[in-house]
Amino acid sequence: MSTDLLAQPPLVDANPAAIGSLDELYKAFTALNMEGGWHRIKPALWREPAKNFLPFRWKYSDVKPILAAAGHLIGTDKAERRNLTMFNPAEGNIYPTVNTIVAAYQMVKPGEIARSHRHTANALRLILEGRGTYTVVNGQRVEMRPGDVLLTPNWAWHSHENVGQDECYWMDFLDVPLVHLLEPMFYEPHAEGLEKDVVDSDGGPLAFRWEDTVKRLEAVHGQDFDDAHASVQLGDPALKTIRLDMQRLDAGKPTRTCRTTANIVYAVVRGKGTTEVDGSAIGWSFGDTIAVPAWRPYRHVAVEDAVLLKVSDAPVMAAFDWLRASAR
Ligand code: GTQ
Ligand code: FE2
């Protein structure tokens, strides 16, 4: 016998359990794991982004000696990665740098290999110091040189090997906090530890070389950009969830104050300066990391000509029509 789907379903009995007061009402729905929209402690909707994450800075000069010490105390045989993640000082937070992005410093010593693995989180690296280190992404062996930005998209195998004389220091940026929020986390260590068939490669579309970035920045210098004096995008976007811009700041000339719903992490590639974020002045120099969370008004003032890498979740915001910006 088949049900007539066009017929009305039977009425559900609304004869009230004995609920005669607001107190009883609250008890009744709380017992069902429900909350009244008019009754919640914290509203579900508010006028504009809540600014839960805080502006903050990590100084490379503080980090490098600690990462160097880690190099003596923990090998890549023990640590899957020798990295130090930067957690935002927001109340109770122990992982993200800004809401959707985690940034980290990583170091690989001469002779070491950080073994191959893959994960659904998207990643990218900005190389700070050291020659002779290669990252192997899906069988392509790509040299990591200072100033380069190298992508490791969703589910790409990747390992890092240092065959040179220098300790190699770089910064990682991943969308892991976004993956945590949405739950599609998968992670797999390579069964053999390393990929088998590896070929040397210039990195193709996964590599943005410093020399190219410099040339591109020279070509647009003097044009008007939101938060820089010259800006070029790396990729379009670089990763599905992450947009990258290399930005040039001229000494002594503040950028326009602006704010955006995108969450931003800046990395200092060259120069020195200050970023004023929502009332706090954050000084920076080579290798530093600056968290500029959503909707915080900010501007940069370089004290010497500078280049910043801007890492943001703008593609995520744009995908859902949540990308907004304003001068402020
Ligand atoms: O180099 O593969 O900082 O998987 C965090 C997670 C680096 C990496 C990080 C990672 C990596
Ligand atoms: Fe990884």
Side-chain angles (χ1 to χ4, degrees), residues 188-231:
E188 186 183 355
H190 196 285
E192 278 88 44
L194 287 175
E195 289 191 78
K196 281 280 150 72
D197 301 311
V198 172
V199 295
D200 283 323
S201 165
D202 68 355
L206 299 184
F208 301 96
R209 299 299 182 184
W210 177 240
E211 316 81 74
D212 298 332
T213 299
V214 169
K215 259 186 232 141
R216 291 181 62 201
L217 281 173
E218 307 262 288
V220 295
H221 192 217
Q223 293 177 23
D224 205 26
F225 293 90
D226 275 353
D227 49 1
H229 303 126
S231 186

Side-chain angles (χ1 to χ4, degrees), residues 83-129:
N83 61 347
L84 293 173
T85 54
M86 295 171 242
F87 60 90
N88 192 279
E91 175 91 44
N93 178 54
I94 57 168
Y95 187 64
T97 307
V98 294
N99 204 156
T100 52
I101 298 169
V102 68
Y105 291 95
Q106 183 169 172
M107 188 270 277
V108 176
K109 289 196 298 182
E112 279 186 334
I113 295 176
R115 57 186 165 269
S116 189
H117 68 203
R118 62 180 176 179
H119 36 69
T120 46
N122 293 281
L124 66 112
R125 319 183 195 287
L126 167 67
I127 317 311
L128 297 176
E129 296 185 279

